[in-house]
Amino acid sequence: MQALNHIQLLAVLAVPVLLAITVHEAAHGWVADKLGDHTALRLGRVTFNPLRHVDLVGTLLVPALAFFFTGFLFGWAKPVPVNWRNLGHPRRDMALVAVAGPGANLIMALAWSLIIRTGLLLFPVSQWIALPLVYTGAAGVLINVFLMVLNLVPLLPLDGGRVLNSLLPPRVARAFSRLEPFGLVILLILLVTGVLGAVLLPIVVWTLGLLPGSGIVKELFFV
């Protein structure tokens, strides 16, 4: 397999990125709806339409700049609104809503790994069909694993921070919640200084090793 240049890589990542963000956010809203809060559903956020979830800065500009200057894919979408007062068990249910996003990314990573396998099976028949499947499948696995691992960082407003906040004793959780306005700034500092990549990259590589087709992903994107 030939490694991709930056332009080719962005082209291959486009569809997987949009799907990863869209399904991730829709999963938050869908679980919240099932647990009693219909806010996201009423606002049209439980949908696979990417335009409902895309943030021009966080979904398009920041990821492109981060990728070109740091080699690390980083960004965000419009947060799905959840009213915890509508949930039957607010602390537990907020954790379930939060973990739904990374869970959706894991399912998508598995689905994209099957597309890699399909492409490899078709390789002797038609490279014109096989290569796009393999490259796009590998990009899909990579972006979904990245998003899953990034969102599980235990820092608000990330999903991992939501889960941690739900597990902490109420008094500690309230103190922890006060850090949320600074969470994005902290993440950007960690990204620019290289700390974020140094911490998360080994976890991403280890997670990739658990998935089918991981060898292709590493060959294309980690050479």
Side-chain angles (χ1 to χ4, degrees):
M1 288 291 176
Q2 182 178 355
L4 303 176
N5 61 40
H6 277 59
I7 301 301
Q8 291 171 325
L9 182 55
L10 283 178
V12 168
L13 282 171
V15 171
V17 165
L18 284 177
L19 283 176
I21 291 171
T22 298
V23 179
H24 177 106
E25 296 301 330
H28 285 313
W30 184 81
V31 171
D33 180 65
K34 296 303 177 184
L35 294 175
D37 177 40
H38 312 303
T39 305
L41 182 65
R42 287 196 299 267
L43 293 175
R45 296 299 304 278
V46 186
T47 175
F48 290 150
N49 178 2
L51 296 179
R52 304 294 297 180
H53 306 290
V54 166
D55 180 276
L56 292 179
V57 175
T59 312
L60 302 176
L61 180 60
V62 171
L65 292 175
F67 180 75
F68 275 111
F69 288 104
T70 71
F72 192 81
L73 203 58
F74 175 83
W76 60 88
K78 293 178 184 177
V80 168
V82 179
N83 188 342
W84 60 269
R85 295 178 181 86
N86 295 329
L87 300 172
H89 303 278
R91 285 172 59 82
R92 182 204 67 184
D93 292 349
M94 282 299 294
L96 293 175
V97 170
V99 82
N105 290 127
L106 176 59
I107 293 171
M108 283 186 285
L110 289 168
W112 284 113
S113 70
L114 295 178
I115 290 178
I116 295 175
R117 289 294 183 90
T118 302
L120 293 175
L121 289 174
L122 292 174
F123 207 85
V125 179
S126 172
Q127 292 189 18
W128 289 99
I129 297 175
L131 284 175
L133 290 176
V134 171
Y135 281 114
T136 306
V141 171
L142 179 67
I143 186 60
N144 278 285
V145 170
F146 259 119
L147 276 178
M148 181 184 70
V149 172
L150 175 62
N151 275 281
L152 287 175
V153 171
L155 178 68
L156 291 171
L158 297 178
D159 298 327
R162 303 287 182 204
V163 174
L164 177 59
N165 195 56
S166 297
L167 295 175
L168 291 171
R171 187 174 180 179
V172 179
R174 285 193 294 271
F176 181 61
S177 297
R178 297 191 188 101
L179 298 175
E180 183 167 354
F182 311 102
L184 186 56
V185 174
I186 294 172
L187 280 173
L188 289 174
I189 292 173
L190 293 176
L191 173 67
V192 172
T193 58
V195 174
L196 188 65
V199 172
L200 295 189
L201 190 58
I203 302 174
V204 168
V205 172
W206 178 82
T207 305
L208 286 172
L210 302 177
L211 299 174
S214 62
I216 295 294
V217 180
K218 293 176 182 178
E219 181 181 347
L220 289 176
F221 300 114
F222 291 92
V223 293

Short mmCIF file of all heavy atoms in Angstrom, two decimals, residues 13 72 105-106 108-110 112-113 116-117 136-149 200-223:
data_model
loop_
_atom_site.label_atom_id
_atom_site.label_comp_id
_atom_site.label_asym_id
_atom_site.label_seq_id
_atom_site.Cartn_x
_atom_site.Cartn_y
_atom_site.Cartn_z
N LEU A 13 -10.32 11.27 4.12
CA LEU A 13 -10.91 11.44 5.45
C LEU A 13 -12.26 12.14 5.43
O LEU A 13 -13.02 12.03 6.40
CB LEU A 13 -9.96 12.26 6.34
CG LEU A 13 -8.77 11.54 6.94
CD1 LEU A 13 -7.84 12.53 7.60
CD2 LEU A 13 -9.21 10.50 7.96
N PHE A 72 -1.95 15.96 14.16
CA PHE A 72 -2.94 15.37 15.05
C PHE A 72 -4.30 15.93 14.69
O PHE A 72 -4.47 17.14 14.56
CB PHE A 72 -2.61 15.70 16.51
CG PHE A 72 -3.40 14.92 17.52
CD1 PHE A 72 -3.04 13.63 17.85
CD2 PHE A 72 -4.51 15.48 18.13
CE1 PHE A 72 -3.77 12.91 18.77
CE2 PHE A 72 -5.24 14.77 19.06
CZ PHE A 72 -4.87 13.48 19.38
N ASN A 105 -18.66 5.73 17.97
CA ASN A 105 -17.41 5.73 17.22
C ASN A 105 -16.76 4.35 17.20
O ASN A 105 -16.18 3.94 16.18
CB ASN A 105 -16.42 6.74 17.81
CG ASN A 105 -16.83 8.17 17.58
OD1 ASN A 105 -16.93 8.97 18.51
ND2 ASN A 105 -17.12 8.53 16.33
N LEU A 106 -16.85 3.61 18.29
CA LEU A 106 -16.30 2.26 18.31
C LEU A 106 -17.04 1.36 17.32
O LEU A 106 -16.41 0.58 16.57
CB LEU A 106 -16.40 1.68 19.72
CG LEU A 106 -15.94 0.23 19.89
CD1 LEU A 106 -14.48 0.08 19.47
CD2 LEU A 106 -16.14 -0.23 21.33
N MET A 108 -18.63 2.32 14.65
CA MET A 108 -18.26 2.73 13.30
C MET A 108 -16.86 2.26 12.93
O MET A 108 -16.60 1.89 11.77
CB MET A 108 -18.37 4.24 13.17
CG MET A 108 -19.80 4.74 13.03
SD MET A 108 -19.90 6.53 12.69
CE MET A 108 -19.53 7.17 14.32
N ALA A 109 -15.94 2.27 13.88
CA ALA A 109 -14.59 1.77 13.60
C ALA A 109 -14.63 0.31 13.20
O ALA A 109 -13.94 -0.12 12.26
CB ALA A 109 -13.70 1.96 14.84
N LEU A 110 -15.45 -0.47 13.89
CA LEU A 110 -15.61 -1.88 13.53
C LEU A 110 -16.22 -2.03 12.14
O LEU A 110 -15.80 -2.89 11.36
CB LEU A 110 -16.48 -2.59 14.58
CG LEU A 110 -15.84 -2.79 15.95
CD1 LEU A 110 -16.88 -3.23 16.98
CD2 LEU A 110 -14.72 -3.83 15.87
N TRP A 112 -16.04 0.14 9.62
CA TRP A 112 -15.03 0.51 8.62
C TRP A 112 -13.96 -0.56 8.47
O TRP A 112 -13.43 -0.76 7.37
CB TRP A 112 -14.38 1.84 8.99
CG TRP A 112 -15.22 3.06 8.73
CD1 TRP A 112 -15.75 3.91 9.65
CD2 TRP A 112 -15.60 3.58 7.45
NE1 TRP A 112 -16.45 4.91 9.03
CE2 TRP A 112 -16.37 4.74 7.68
CE3 TRP A 112 -15.38 3.16 6.13
CZ2 TRP A 112 -16.92 5.49 6.64
CZ3 TRP A 112 -15.93 3.92 5.10
CH2 TRP A 112 -16.68 5.06 5.35
N SER A 113 -13.65 -1.27 9.55
CA SER A 113 -12.66 -2.34 9.45
C SER A 113 -13.18 -3.47 8.56
O SER A 113 -12.40 -4.12 7.85
CB SER A 113 -12.29 -2.87 10.84
OG SER A 113 -13.37 -3.58 11.42
N ILE A 116 -12.55 -2.46 5.05
CA ILE A 116 -11.16 -2.77 4.67
C ILE A 116 -11.06 -4.22 4.21
O ILE A 116 -10.46 -4.53 3.16
CB ILE A 116 -10.20 -2.54 5.84
CG1 ILE A 116 -10.15 -1.07 6.23
CG2 ILE A 116 -8.78 -3.03 5.49
CD1 ILE A 116 -9.30 -0.79 7.46
N ARG A 117 -11.62 -5.12 5.00
CA ARG A 117 -11.59 -6.56 4.66
C ARG A 117 -12.25 -6.80 3.31
O ARG A 117 -11.76 -7.59 2.49
CB ARG A 117 -12.27 -7.37 5.75
CG ARG A 117 -11.49 -7.45 7.06
CD ARG A 117 -10.20 -8.23 6.85
NE ARG A 117 -9.45 -8.39 8.07
CZ ARG A 117 -9.59 -9.41 8.92
NH1 ARG A 117 -10.48 -10.36 8.66
NH2 ARG A 117 -8.84 -9.49 10.00
N THR A 136 -10.47 4.32 2.24
CA THR A 136 -11.53 4.98 2.99
C THR A 136 -11.85 4.22 4.27
O THR A 136 -12.10 4.82 5.32
CB THR A 136 -12.80 5.10 2.12
OG1 THR A 136 -12.48 5.74 0.89
CG2 THR A 136 -13.87 5.92 2.83
N GLY A 137 -11.81 2.89 4.18
CA GLY A 137 -12.05 2.09 5.38
C GLY A 137 -10.98 2.34 6.44
O GLY A 137 -11.29 2.48 7.62
N ALA A 138 -9.73 2.42 6.00
CA ALA A 138 -8.64 2.69 6.95
C ALA A 138 -8.79 4.07 7.57
O ALA A 138 -8.58 4.25 8.78
CB ALA A 138 -7.29 2.58 6.23
N ALA A 139 -9.16 5.05 6.76
CA ALA A 139 -9.40 6.40 7.29
C ALA A 139 -10.56 6.39 8.28
O ALA A 139 -10.51 7.07 9.32
CB ALA A 139 -9.69 7.37 6.15
N GLY A 140 -11.60 5.62 7.97
CA GLY A 140 -12.75 5.53 8.87
C GLY A 140 -12.39 4.91 10.21
O GLY A 140 -12.84 5.38 11.27
N VAL A 141 -11.58 3.87 10.18
CA VAL A 141 -11.13 3.26 11.43
C VAL A 141 -10.31 4.27 12.23
O VAL A 141 -10.53 4.46 13.43
CB VAL A 141 -10.29 1.99 11.14
CG1 VAL A 141 -9.64 1.48 12.43
CG2 VAL A 141 -11.16 0.90 10.53
N LEU A 142 -9.37 4.93 11.56
CA LEU A 142 -8.48 5.86 12.25
C LEU A 142 -9.24 7.01 12.90
O LEU A 142 -9.05 7.30 14.09
CB LEU A 142 -7.45 6.41 11.26
CG LEU A 142 -6.46 7.42 11.84
CD1 LEU A 142 -5.54 6.76 12.85
CD2 LEU A 142 -5.65 8.07 10.72
N ILE A 143 -10.12 7.67 12.14
CA ILE A 143 -10.79 8.85 12.68
C ILE A 143 -11.72 8.48 13.81
O ILE A 143 -11.84 9.20 14.81
CB ILE A 143 -11.55 9.61 11.56
CG1 ILE A 143 -12.12 10.93 12.11
CG2 ILE A 143 -12.66 8.77 10.96
CD1 ILE A 143 -11.10 11.89 12.65
N ASN A 144 -12.38 7.34 13.71
CA ASN A 144 -13.31 6.96 14.78
C ASN A 144 -12.57 6.54 16.05
O ASN A 144 -13.04 6.84 17.16
CB ASN A 144 -14.24 5.84 14.30
CG ASN A 144 -15.40 6.38 13.49
OD1 ASN A 144 -16.33 6.94 14.04
ND2 ASN A 144 -15.33 6.23 12.18
N VAL A 145 -11.43 5.89 15.90
CA VAL A 145 -10.64 5.55 17.09
C VAL A 145 -10.09 6.83 17.72
O VAL A 145 -10.11 6.99 18.95
CB VAL A 145 -9.51 4.57 16.73
CG1 VAL A 145 -8.55 4.41 17.91
CG2 VAL A 145 -10.09 3.21 16.36
N PHE A 146 -9.60 7.75 16.88
CA PHE A 146 -9.12 9.03 17.40
C PHE A 146 -10.21 9.76 18.17
O PHE A 146 -9.98 10.25 19.29
CB PHE A 146 -8.63 9.92 16.26
CG PHE A 146 -7.14 9.96 16.10
CD1 PHE A 146 -6.55 9.52 14.93
CD2 PHE A 146 -6.32 10.44 17.10
CE1 PHE A 146 -5.16 9.55 14.76
CE2 PHE A 146 -4.95 10.48 16.95
CZ PHE A 146 -4.37 10.03 15.78
N LEU A 147 -11.40 9.85 17.58
CA LEU A 147 -12.49 10.56 18.23
C LEU A 147 -12.91 9.87 19.52
O LEU A 147 -13.20 10.54 20.52
CB LEU A 147 -13.69 10.67 17.29
CG LEU A 147 -13.68 11.81 16.28
CD1 LEU A 147 -14.91 11.76 15.39
CD2 LEU A 147 -13.60 13.16 16.98
N MET A 148 -12.95 8.55 19.49
CA MET A 148 -13.34 7.82 20.69
C MET A 148 -12.35 8.07 21.83
O MET A 148 -12.75 8.42 22.95
CB MET A 148 -13.40 6.32 20.40
CG MET A 148 -13.81 5.47 21.60
SD MET A 148 -13.78 3.70 21.25
CE MET A 148 -12.01 3.41 21.12
N VAL A 149 -11.07 7.94 21.54
CA VAL A 149 -10.04 8.12 22.57
C VAL A 149 -10.01 9.56 23.05
O VAL A 149 -9.94 9.83 24.26
CB VAL A 149 -8.66 7.69 22.02
CG1 VAL A 149 -7.56 8.06 23.01
CG2 VAL A 149 -8.64 6.19 21.74
N LEU A 200 -2.11 10.55 23.93
CA LEU A 200 -3.20 9.81 23.28
C LEU A 200 -2.74 8.87 22.18
O LEU A 200 -3.37 7.84 21.94
CB LEU A 200 -4.23 10.79 22.71
CG LEU A 200 -4.99 11.66 23.71
CD1 LEU A 200 -6.11 12.40 23.00
CD2 LEU A 200 -5.56 10.82 24.85
N LEU A 201 -1.65 9.23 21.49
CA LEU A 201 -1.23 8.41 20.34
C LEU A 201 -0.95 6.95 20.72
O LEU A 201 -1.39 6.04 20.01
CB LEU A 201 0.00 9.03 19.67
CG LEU A 201 0.40 8.41 18.33
CD1 LEU A 201 -0.75 8.47 17.33
CD2 LEU A 201 1.63 9.11 17.76
N PRO A 202 -0.23 6.66 21.82
CA PRO A 202 -0.04 5.25 22.19
C PRO A 202 -1.35 4.53 22.47
O PRO A 202 -1.49 3.33 22.15
CB PRO A 202 0.82 5.34 23.46
CG PRO A 202 1.50 6.66 23.38
CD PRO A 202 0.51 7.57 22.73
N ILE A 203 -2.33 5.23 23.04
CA ILE A 203 -3.63 4.61 23.30
C ILE A 203 -4.35 4.33 21.99
O ILE A 203 -4.97 3.28 21.82
CB ILE A 203 -4.48 5.53 24.21
CG1 ILE A 203 -3.76 5.81 25.52
CG2 ILE A 203 -5.85 4.90 24.48
CD1 ILE A 203 -4.46 6.82 26.41
N VAL A 204 -4.25 5.28 21.05
CA VAL A 204 -4.87 5.09 19.73
C VAL A 204 -4.25 3.88 19.03
O VAL A 204 -4.96 3.03 18.49
CB VAL A 204 -4.71 6.36 18.88
CG1 VAL A 204 -5.08 6.08 17.41
CG2 VAL A 204 -5.57 7.49 19.42
N VAL A 205 -2.93 3.80 19.03
CA VAL A 205 -2.23 2.69 18.36
C VAL A 205 -2.60 1.36 19.02
O VAL A 205 -2.85 0.36 18.32
CB VAL A 205 -0.71 2.92 18.40
CG1 VAL A 205 0.03 1.68 17.87
CG2 VAL A 205 -0.33 4.15 17.58
N TRP A 206 -2.67 1.34 20.34
CA TRP A 206 -3.03 0.11 21.05
C TRP A 206 -4.46 -0.30 20.71
O TRP A 206 -4.73 -1.49 20.46
CB TRP A 206 -2.90 0.32 22.56
CG TRP A 206 -3.30 -0.89 23.35
CD1 TRP A 206 -2.53 -2.00 23.62
CD2 TRP A 206 -4.57 -1.13 23.98
NE1 TRP A 206 -3.25 -2.90 24.37
CE2 TRP A 206 -4.49 -2.40 24.61
CE3 TRP A 206 -5.75 -0.40 24.06
CZ2 TRP A 206 -5.58 -2.94 25.31
CZ3 TRP A 206 -6.83 -0.93 24.76
CH2 TRP A 206 -6.73 -2.19 25.37
N THR A 207 -5.37 0.66 20.66
CA THR A 207 -6.77 0.36 20.32
C THR A 207 -6.88 -0.14 18.90
O THR A 207 -7.63 -1.08 18.62
CB THR A 207 -7.64 1.62 20.51
OG1 THR A 207 -7.48 2.13 21.84
CG2 THR A 207 -9.11 1.29 20.28
N LEU A 208 -6.14 0.48 17.99
CA LEU A 208 -6.16 0.03 16.59
C LEU A 208 -5.73 -1.43 16.49
O LEU A 208 -6.26 -2.19 15.67
CB LEU A 208 -5.23 0.89 15.75
CG LEU A 208 -5.70 2.31 15.41
CD1 LEU A 208 -4.59 3.10 14.74
CD2 LEU A 208 -6.94 2.27 14.52
N GLY A 209 -4.77 -1.82 17.32
CA GLY A 209 -4.28 -3.20 17.27
C GLY A 209 -5.32 -4.23 17.64
O GLY A 209 -5.16 -5.42 17.32
N LEU A 210 -6.40 -3.80 18.27
CA LEU A 210 -7.47 -4.72 18.65
C LEU A 210 -8.50 -4.93 17.54
O LEU A 210 -9.34 -5.82 17.64
CB LEU A 210 -8.19 -4.20 19.90
CG LEU A 210 -7.32 -3.98 21.14
CD1 LEU A 210 -8.18 -3.38 22.27
CD2 LEU A 210 -6.68 -5.28 21.60
N LEU A 211 -8.42 -4.11 16.49
CA LEU A 211 -9.44 -4.12 15.44
C LEU A 211 -8.95 -4.85 14.20
O LEU A 211 -7.77 -4.82 13.88
CB LEU A 211 -9.81 -2.68 15.06
CG LEU A 211 -10.41 -1.82 16.18
CD1 LEU A 211 -10.58 -0.39 15.69
CD2 LEU A 211 -11.74 -2.39 16.65
N PRO A 212 -9.88 -5.50 13.49
CA PRO A 212 -9.50 -6.11 12.20
C PRO A 212 -9.02 -5.05 11.23
O PRO A 212 -9.52 -3.92 11.21
CB PRO A 212 -10.83 -6.73 11.72
CG PRO A 212 -11.68 -6.86 12.94
CD PRO A 212 -11.28 -5.72 13.84
N GLY A 213 -8.02 -5.38 10.44
CA GLY A 213 -7.50 -4.44 9.45
C GLY A 213 -6.55 -3.41 10.02
O GLY A 213 -6.16 -2.47 9.32
N SER A 214 -6.14 -3.58 11.29
CA SER A 214 -5.26 -2.58 11.91
C SER A 214 -3.93 -2.46 11.19
O SER A 214 -3.32 -1.38 11.16
CB SER A 214 -5.05 -2.93 13.38
OG SER A 214 -4.40 -4.19 13.52
N GLY A 215 -3.44 -3.55 10.63
CA GLY A 215 -2.16 -3.52 9.93
C GLY A 215 -2.19 -2.55 8.76
O GLY A 215 -1.22 -1.82 8.52
N ILE A 216 -3.30 -2.54 8.01
CA ILE A 216 -3.44 -1.62 6.88
C ILE A 216 -3.47 -0.18 7.37
O ILE A 216 -2.85 0.72 6.79
CB ILE A 216 -4.73 -1.94 6.09
CG1 ILE A 216 -4.64 -3.33 5.45
CG2 ILE A 216 -4.99 -0.89 5.04
CD1 ILE A 216 -3.61 -3.46 4.38
N VAL A 217 -4.21 0.08 8.45
CA VAL A 217 -4.31 1.44 9.00
C VAL A 217 -2.93 1.94 9.39
O VAL A 217 -2.54 3.08 9.05
CB VAL A 217 -5.27 1.48 10.20
CG1 VAL A 217 -5.36 2.90 10.76
CG2 VAL A 217 -6.66 0.98 9.81
N LYS A 218 -2.18 1.13 10.09
CA LYS A 218 -0.85 1.55 10.54
C LYS A 218 0.10 1.73 9.36
O LYS A 218 0.92 2.66 9.35
CB LYS A 218 -0.28 0.52 11.51
CG LYS A 218 -1.06 0.46 12.84
CD LYS A 218 -0.52 -0.64 13.75
CE LYS A 218 -1.30 -0.73 15.03
NZ LYS A 218 -0.83 -1.82 15.92
N GLU A 219 -0.02 0.89 8.37
CA GLU A 219 0.85 0.99 7.18
C GLU A 219 0.60 2.29 6.43
O GLU A 219 1.54 2.93 5.93
CB GLU A 219 0.60 -0.20 6.26
CG GLU A 219 1.47 -0.19 5.00
CD GLU A 219 1.17 -1.37 4.08
OE1 GLU A 219 0.49 -2.32 4.53
OE2 GLU A 219 1.62 -1.32 2.92
N LEU A 220 -0.67 2.69 6.34
CA LEU A 220 -1.02 3.88 5.57
C LEU A 220 -0.76 5.17 6.33
O LEU A 220 -0.39 6.19 5.73
CB LEU A 220 -2.50 3.81 5.16
CG LEU A 220 -2.87 2.78 4.10
CD1 LEU A 220 -4.37 2.77 3.88
CD2 LEU A 220 -2.14 3.06 2.79
N PHE A 221 -0.99 5.17 7.64
CA PHE A 221 -1.01 6.43 8.38
C PHE A 221 0.09 6.58 9.43
O PHE A 221 0.22 7.64 10.02
CB PHE A 221 -2.36 6.61 9.07
CG PHE A 221 -3.51 6.65 8.10
CD1 PHE A 221 -4.46 5.65 8.08
CD2 PHE A 221 -3.62 7.69 7.18
CE1 PHE A 221 -5.52 5.69 7.19
CE2 PHE A 221 -4.68 7.75 6.29
CZ PHE A 221 -5.62 6.74 6.29
N PHE A 222 0.89 5.54 9.65
CA PHE A 222 1.90 5.62 10.70
C PHE A 222 3.28 5.29 10.18
O PHE A 222 4.11 4.81 10.92
CB PHE A 222 1.54 4.71 11.87
CG PHE A 222 0.34 5.17 12.65
CD1 PHE A 222 -0.92 4.71 12.31
CD2 PHE A 222 0.46 6.07 13.68
CE1 PHE A 222 -2.05 5.14 13.00
CE2 PHE A 222 -0.65 6.50 14.39
CZ PHE A 222 -1.91 6.03 14.05
N VAL A 223 3.52 5.48 8.88
CA VAL A 223 4.84 5.24 8.32
C VAL A 223 5.65 6.52 8.32
O VAL A 223 5.11 7.60 8.43
CB VAL A 223 4.73 4.70 6.87
CG1 VAL A 223 4.12 3.33 6.87
CG2 VAL A 223 3.96 5.65 5.98
#
